[in-house]
Each structure stands twice: as C-alpha cells, then as structure tokens.
Amino acid sequence: MEPDKLDILRKHGYVITGRGSGVKLCHWVGRKLVDGRACYKEVFYGIECHRCMQMSPCIDLCNQKCLFCWRYQGMGPAKGKVEFDEPVEIVDRCLEGQRELVSGFRGDNRVSEKMWQEARNPNQVAVSLAGEPTMYPYLGELIRELHRRKMTVFLVTNGTAPEALKRLEHLPDQLYVTLAAPNQRVYQRLCIPDTPGQWKNLMETLDILPGLNTRTVIRHTLVAHWNIGWEREYAELISRAEPDFVEAKGYVFVGDSRRRMNLSNMPSHDTVKEFALKEAEFLGLDLLMEKADSRVVLLGEKNSRLSVS
Ligand code: SF4
Ligand code: SF4
C-alpha cells in the first residue's frame, strides 16, 4: 500500500496488518468497556461487543462507492499490484492490532480488569470494516482459521460476488447481504457500482442465499430522500433470499460519508420503524426487536432463535 494511503488510514484509527488487511476498534467496544452500553448486535444476537474485532482482509478493494459509506474511499491498489495476506498472518496480526487498540483502556477506573482482559481476547469477528471481503481470494480459509480459534464470525457483503459465496468452503456464523436499493435505478445512483452488471450479481446472490447452510440477514441501510419507501419492491426481492432476519437500519451521518451526505439524510427511528412495519406486512414477518438509539429494527419469524452461540 502506498505511504500516503497508509498515513490516511492510520489517522482514521486503522492498524494495518499486512499488505492489504487491517483492524480498527469499533467505537462500541470502548462504550461497552467504559459505560456498559452495547451495540445492537449484542442486544439482538447475544454477542459480547467488547470482545468483537472489526477487521478486513482487503481494506483497499471495493467494487462500489456507496454514498452512505463511512469508510475512506480514496483507495484501490496501485495498478498491477493487488497483493493479499495469508489467513493465518491476518488473524495473528489483527489480534495483535486489537490488543494494541484496547491497551489504552487499561487503568481507566471506569473499566474493570476482567472486561479489559476479555477485550484483549476477542471471541467474535466482524468481517466488515472496509473493502468488499468477497474480493479476498482466501475468505473461506480465513473463516476457518477464525473458527479454529473459537471465534464467531459475522461477514458483511454487498452481494456482488455470488460465485465467491458459492465457493466458500467455510461459512460465517451469520452472513449479511446489504440491500440498499429497491431497484437497479436507485442502486446505480446510491451504491455506484464499478460495472453495470453488479445489480444482476446482487440478484443472483439473493437467489443463492436459501441454499447456503448458515444464518442469513438482509440489511437495509436506509437513507432519507434516497431509498426509503418501495416496501413492496424490497419485500419481493427479500422473498427471493428467504433470509432468517431482516435488519432495517437508518443511515448515520459519520465518517467519510459526511463528504457526500448531510444530516437530513439520517432518518429518524420512527421513519425506520414505519418502513420496517410496512415491509414486515408484505413479508409476513414480525418485528422481533428494535434499538431506537441505533435506529434499527429487526424483522423475522416469531420465536426465531436470535442468539448465535
Ligand atoms: S458487532 Fe459490529 S457494532 Fe458490534 S462491536 Fe462488532 S463491529 Fe461493532
Ligand atoms: S460496499 Fe461497503 S465498503 Fe464498499 S462502498 Fe459500499 S458500504 Fe463502503
């Protein structure tokens, strides 16, 4: 990676763990350590968010430039120089990086020694930090290595690589596919894919989801004035995927997305909930949980098992 990109990423709080992988402390880790407040995935699925490691095996590769993306988007490998790190190296170095990142919490009198020690030993990994993880060629091996070390894995994809998902010999504990548009017209304008065929790929991913032997979640990032509404159209797409859960999550005005969006693009929790309830009606699903401070609503079938463990 070029030195200027490395500098930017370091300034953004990343620890770069090789040629193209990295780890960054999710702000919820700090919140949980300091004041006990948990992220919505702890509330919904029972993970321990202070033990969650947010990482990416290919930080500078993504085939979309979503307007709502909070990551730095001036990335992309230098021509002809796509280099990948080995799964074992990535896991070792991300764990070291995570320890370095939580080291500053030791001695803070609001943080218990027990929780701090736990934070040094993650048992949950969010493969979702920056970049599109299906562009990493050893993703299955990476998941296997994380499982070997007794960590649960949540993988977030933009859904443009159905072939890579079909090839995964080890599946994550929970597979997220982002569906941020009800149709190709909105998708092209909001998610800005690098080629016109990506919508078709996303549709193919929805179609293969029912055959994947893992928990699946369709996640909407809802951006006011852009992609809220069209509940029937979204529901038709979701029906193809038969996911275990649907998360309707409001866009948050943070990070680099502030260059492309403004505060008025953040929907209120009431707007997110209203959307989710209409969609739930089309899908015949129930509202299982919600977390207003994260503007997120979880849909699924009543009595679904929520915990991943
Ligand atoms: S699950 Fe997501 S929000 Fe929760 S701590 Fe991990 S990275 Fe952060
Ligand atoms: S697919 Fe993900 S990483 Fe890529 S631009 Fe969109 S939000 Fe950002």
Side-chain angles (χ1 to χ4, degrees), residues 103-278:
S103 61
F105 288 95
R106 188 172 215 185
D108 183 322
N109 57 18
R110 295 166 300 177
V111 179
S112 76
E113 175 71 16
K114 178 177 178 290
M115 280 180 78
W116 182 76
Q117 289 292 354
E118 286 173 350
R120 284 173 47 77
N121 293 293
N123 62 0
Q124 151 70 18
V125 180
V127 186
S128 72
L129 173 60
E132 168 48 39
T134 55
M135 296 176 87
Y136 175 64
Y138 316 120
L139 186 57
E141 288 98 314
L142 176 68
I143 295 169
R144 182 179 56 191
E145 184 59 24
L146 293 166
H147 280 159
R148 198 179 68 75
R149 301 192 198 202
K150 309 274 181 273
M151 294 185 261
T152 48
V153 180
F154 283 14
L155 174 70
V156 183
T157 174
N158 62 22
T160 56
E163 292 307 320
L165 292 177
K166 280 189 221 165
R167 276 199 307 272
L168 277 186
E169 64 278 29
H170 290 276
L171 287 162
D173 299 272
Q174 190 146 293
L175 172 63
Y176 279 83
V177 177
T178 302
L179 182 64
N183 56 48
Q184 186 168 8
R185 193 178 59 82
V186 175
Y187 173 73
Q188 294 294 140
R189 294 177 59 225
L190 183 62
C191 300
I192 317 188
D194 63 356
T195 58
Q198 303 295 22
W199 174 255
K200 196 168 151 275
N201 291 338
L202 173 58
M203 294 302 103
E204 193 183 333
T205 292
L206 297 182
D207 291 335
I208 66 163
L209 236 49
L212 296 180
N213 187 21
T214 187
R215 284 158 58 114
T216 56
V217 183
I218 295 290
R219 185 178 66 183
H220 303 304
T221 301
L222 296 173
V223 187
H225 317 302
W226 276 91
N227 63 356
I228 304 181
W230 297 281
E231 291 85 357
R232 181 191 295 274
E233 287 84 345
Y234 277 113
E236 280 166 10
L237 297 178
I238 291 170
S239 302
R240 293 166 65 162
E242 300 172 20
D244 294 285
F245 304 107
V246 179
E247 281 181 12
K249 167 97 179 68
Y251 159 72
V252 183
F253 185 65
V254 290
D256 260 36
S257 74
R258 288 172 297 182
R259 297 170 192 271
R260 300 167 232 113
M261 291 280 157
N262 55 58
L263 262 176
S264 69
N265 294 119
M266 275 177 62
S268 67
H269 182 67
D270 285 348
T271 303
V272 172
K273 189 168 175 180
E274 192 185 322
F275 168 92
L277 286 173
K278 281 189 197 158

Side-chain angles (χ1 to χ4, degrees), residues 26 28-29 39 41-42 47 49 52-54 124 126 128 154:
C26 172
W28 285 104
V29 173
C39 77
K41 291 187 186 109
E42 173 163 330
I47 61 142
C49 81
C52 179
M53 178 167 80
Q54 182 186 222
Q124 151 70 18
S128 72
F154 283 14

